[in-house]
Amino acid sequence: MSVTVRFCGAAQTVTGSCTLLQTPSGRVLVDCGLFQGQKALKQLNYGAFPFRPADIDQVLLTHAHIDHSGLLPKLVREGFRGRILATRGTIDLCSWMLPDAGSIQESEVASLNRRNAARGRSEVTPIYTQADAIASLQSFQPVDYETWCDVIPGVRARYWNAGHLLGSASIELEVAEDAASARPIRLLMSGDVGPDGKLLEPDPKAPSGFDYVISESTYGDRIRPPTSPELRRQRLAAEVRDAAAAGGALLIPAFAVERTQELIVDLIDLMDHGEIPTAPIFLDSPLAIHATEVFRTHAASLDPTIDINRLFNSPNLRFTETVDESKSIARLTGFHIIIAASGMCDAGRIRHHLKRWLWSNRATVLLVGYQAHGTLGRFLQEGAKAVRIQGEEIKVAARIRMIDDYSGHADGSEIARWIAARRPIERGLFLVHGEEAAIAGLADRVAERIIPAAKLFQPVLDDIFELSGAEPRLLDVTHRRRLAPEAVTHLDWHNDMSGLILDINERIEAAADDRARGVIIRRLRRALDAEG
Ligand SMILES: [Zn+2]
């Protein structure tokens, strides 16, 4: 009998996590995430799934992040009728995050349609709406950590705390090949794995002894400088003091869930101890505000040494839920702190604040998390002199700073150690959920040292492997690919294009005078005409 795995997302890329396991008795999907970042990938969100949603029997969800959960409302709307098994923490977070994602889809499509109408192009419909997202919540069913649950006949699963986010899990699976099989195939899906010593969460946990391990690789090629709670707070304090000295706003683009709550815990604690100047901290994200309430509810499952309720009740913390409250922050001129989503600056209220402040050398932008290729955050991180926000070009004069201490992901050596602790891994280790370089970096780190190179696989999008044999076998899927592998791994032309426009503007502005500018423009024109 045949057991196959299809990598429907997050293969040679870091978003759109989705893995289809097909067994003799049915189909199980692990995660159903939204593609983010590059246009070519985001386009997949609008297209058909590479399977029929009605054919999927159950979904196992590792955690609430949108790149793992964000296409569930579409899956349900298009005919999925099974259950979505997730921990209670994940369900509570999804009950805010998915409706929020639905309303982002609606508003992004509304503004795209306004632009399309002006250009005479046809209307686009949202991937799903807020109502679709709310409807999909009915399909969730809670599971406990470390307890076996039956998924479909012959398949059972057990969730282990992955230490990455409230409710996050690595999922252990046992798949019987047929009723007579003496020994089931044992698999482990890492989900996203947290770093050691993470604020609020325990260290990641999982058993050992598998046939297959499917591991994330987000930071596979990076080693983070060693950190500790003390070092982390010191580095944050130094950044906040510098930002206060510059005299303008400190903008922290943050993921609404967990990263935001970690920052609040440290910022309030530093203010209470007089280590940074006291200033208002605006939590300018309705989703982050609701997520903060979920953290309060689950305080008992988080680090017991942190008094979350006291910190979250600080008078320095201001919640700006409505649009009017949010707009009123824009009138402030001196030092204040704004935490707003999204963490990679590609959506959300942070974009308004960036528009308001990026041109000012009194402002500071503090990046506190992973910035994917093609996002505004990545352009800032790489030192862009100007960026485009909602079609408008904005000069970057603000100080762009970055700290790594709040990562929700294990780094290269931590993930390699996590893999090593899962041994023996009998038949194969699949590296997924990372950009090309990160996966290659992790492969270098584990090949031969931790697992024989012959047992190491780096699947590309839509690859299908047969798992029943002594070793995994790649099936021929040429005609079933949604994207050519090189379209997944390389920056698409949209990014090249915006980079080029910014470079041209910069070169022309830097020219000595109008005559020199005229020369550059004529040369570019000649190059274009030569192409035509
Ligand atoms: Zn995650």
Side-chain angles (χ1 to χ4, degrees):
M1 293 297 271
S2 157
V3 175
T4 61
V5 65
R6 177 171 184 159
F7 296 94
C8 309
Q12 295 288 322
T13 173
V14 80
T15 65
S17 191
C18 185
T19 309
L20 173 62
L21 196 67
Q22 189 165 346
T23 81
S25 58
R27 293 178 182 82
V28 177
L29 206 57
V30 180
D31 290 347
C32 190
L34 196 74
F35 290 96
Q36 295 162 313
Q38 291 160 247
K39 277 229 163 82
L41 283 177
K42 286 203 282 191
Q43 210 52 41
L44 294 177
N45 297 324
Y46 290 89
F49 285 109
F51 44 76
R52 279 179 13 126
D55 291 343
I56 303 296
D57 297 294
Q58 306 284 15
V59 174
L60 309 178
L61 179 59
T62 60
H63 65 289
H65 279 149
I66 290 301
D67 63 320
H68 291 255
S69 70
L71 283 184
L72 287 170
K74 172 172 164 152
L75 188 77
V76 173
R77 194 189 60 192
E78 296 190 353
F80 169 67
R81 289 293 166 263
R83 295 166 303 154
I84 301 166
L85 306 181
T87 64
R88 283 185 177 76
T90 297
I91 295 176
D92 287 353
L93 290 175
C94 279
S95 68
W96 292 107
M97 292 170 76
L98 292 177
D100 179 76
S103 85
I104 291 173
Q105 309 305 339
E106 287 184 63
S107 63
E108 278 186 353
V109 163
S111 70
L112 177 65
N113 280 339
R114 276 193 298 276
R115 290 199 300 275
N116 279 353
R119 295 172 190 159
R121 293 188 194 159
S122 53
E123 282 212 338
V124 179
T125 48
I127 304 164
Y128 55 87
T129 62
Q130 187 169 39
D132 294 328
I134 291 168
S136 74
L137 298 174
Q138 300 301 321
S139 307
F140 281 79
Q141 181 174 312
V143 294
D144 291 321
Y145 282 122
E146 300 186 27
T147 308
W148 284 111
C149 56
D150 293 323
V151 181
I152 55 173
V155 178
R156 59 178 192 157
R158 197 152 57 148
Y159 287 52
W160 296 88
N161 198 327
H164 163 71
L165 170 75
L166 177 68
S168 70
S170 296
I171 302 178
E172 176 187 11
L173 280 152
E174 283 188 356
V175 181
E177 285 174 84
D178 53 68
S181 69
R183 205 181 74 88
I185 299 179
R186 283 176 46 72
L187 296 107
L188 182 68
M189 320 288 266
S190 71
D192 286 358
V193 176
D196 294 340
K198 184 180 177 302
L199 181 57
L200 300 177
E201 300 296 335
D203 287 351
K205 205 173 172 189
S208 58
F210 290 96
D211 293 299
Y212 298 101
V213 171
I214 298 175
S215 172
E216 68 124 326
S217 319
T218 313
Y219 279 129
D221 59 340
R222 300 228 347 234
I223 298 298
R224 221 175 283 121
T227 190
S228 66
E230 202 35 53
L231 278 174
R232 183 190 69 227
R233 272 196 293 269
Q234 278 172 19
R235 283 198 264 257
L236 178 66
E239 293 297 343
V240 175
R241 283 193 297 264
D242 287 351
L250 168 58
L251 307 182
I252 310 183
F255 297 92
V257 178
E258 189 114 352
R259 193 68 41 84
T260 289
Q261 289 73 30
E262 291 174 301
L263 286 163
I264 294 172
V265 163
D266 275 353
L267 286 169
I268 301 284
D269 197 58
L270 288 168
M271 279 184 195
D272 287 356
H273 288 88
E275 292 179 48
I276 56 174
T278 298
I281 303 167
F282 294 98
L283 183 52
D284 190 29
S285 155
L287 177 60
I289 294 168
H290 295 302
T292 302
E293 292 311 312
V294 174
F295 275 73
R296 264 190 227 270
T297 325
H298 287 267
S301 74
L302 303 168
D303 185 340
T305 63
I306 296 170
D307 186 351
I308 282 191
N309 279 308
R310 182 184 67 80
L311 295 166
F312 287 179
N313 286 335
S314 164
N316 295 319
L317 184 60
R318 319 269 172 86
F319 298 102
T320 48
E321 186 163 356
T322 69
V323 173
D324 283 344
E325 287 169 326
S326 173
K327 281 184 177 158
S328 69
I329 313 174
R331 290 196 285 272
L332 298 177
T333 53
F335 172 62
H336 56 286
I337 302 173
I338 301 173
I339 303 176
S342 74
M344 301 189 209
C345 311
D346 46 354
R349 291 183 181 174
I350 192 67
R351 294 171 75 87
H352 299 286
H353 299 299
L354 289 169
K355 247 177 156 173
R356 156 85 177 82
W357 281 103
L358 267 183
W359 56 271
S360 165
N361 59 10
R362 292 190 300 118
T364 305
V365 178
L366 182 60
L367 300 170
V368 290
Y370 187 83
Q371 308 294 319
H373 267 308
T375 59
L376 175 56
R378 181 72 161 245
F379 283 119
L380 292 174
Q381 186 187 343
E382 289 177 347
K385 303 255 179 359
V387 293
R388 294 188 82 81
I389 301 179
Q390 290 147 346
E392 214 176 295
E393 191 182 314
I394 317 275
K395 271 205 170 52
V396 181
R399 306 162 61 252
I400 308 295
R401 306 287 303 164
M402 169 112 205
I403 46 177
D404 250 356
D405 305 67
Y406 291 88
S407 178
H409 286 275
D411 72 1
S413 66
E414 287 167 329
I415 196 80
R417 249 188 294 129
W418 182 90
I419 292 168
R422 308 287 78 85
R423 289 176 301 180
I425 301 170
E426 302 286 352
R427 301 191 224 176
L429 169 67
F430 293 96
L431 299 182
V432 297
H433 199 286
E435 283 166 6
E436 203 179 11
I439 290 180
L442 183 58
D444 276 351
R445 198 176 288 283
V446 298
E448 301 305 340
R449 260 168 285 187
I450 292 174
I451 187 163
K455 291 186 179 179
L456 198 54
F457 299 87
Q458 303 173 39
V460 301
L461 187 69
D462 288 329
D463 269 357
I464 302 178
F465 285 84
E466 168 63 58
L467 300 183
S468 326
E471 55 193 40
R473 188 167 56 85
L474 179 63
L475 305 184
D476 180 15
V477 289
T478 323
H479 59 292
R480 293 168 68 179
R481 288 197 191 287
R482 287 169 292 170
L483 278 180
E486 58 276 14
V488 179
T489 51
H490 294 115
L491 279 183
D492 56 20
W493 67 269
H494 294 96
N495 289 326
D496 292 344
M497 180 75 181
S498 24
L500 176 65
I501 290 172
L502 292 169
D503 285 347
I504 292 175
N505 283 343
E506 199 182 308
R507 193 69 68 84
I508 286 175
E509 274 175 38
D513 52 29
D514 283 352
R515 209 187 67 84
R517 290 185 186 98
V519 171
I520 298 173
I521 291 167
R522 277 193 299 280
R523 279 191 192 148
L524 287 168
R525 170 61 62 197
R526 272 204 298 277
L528 268 185
D529 292 345
E531 271 297 301

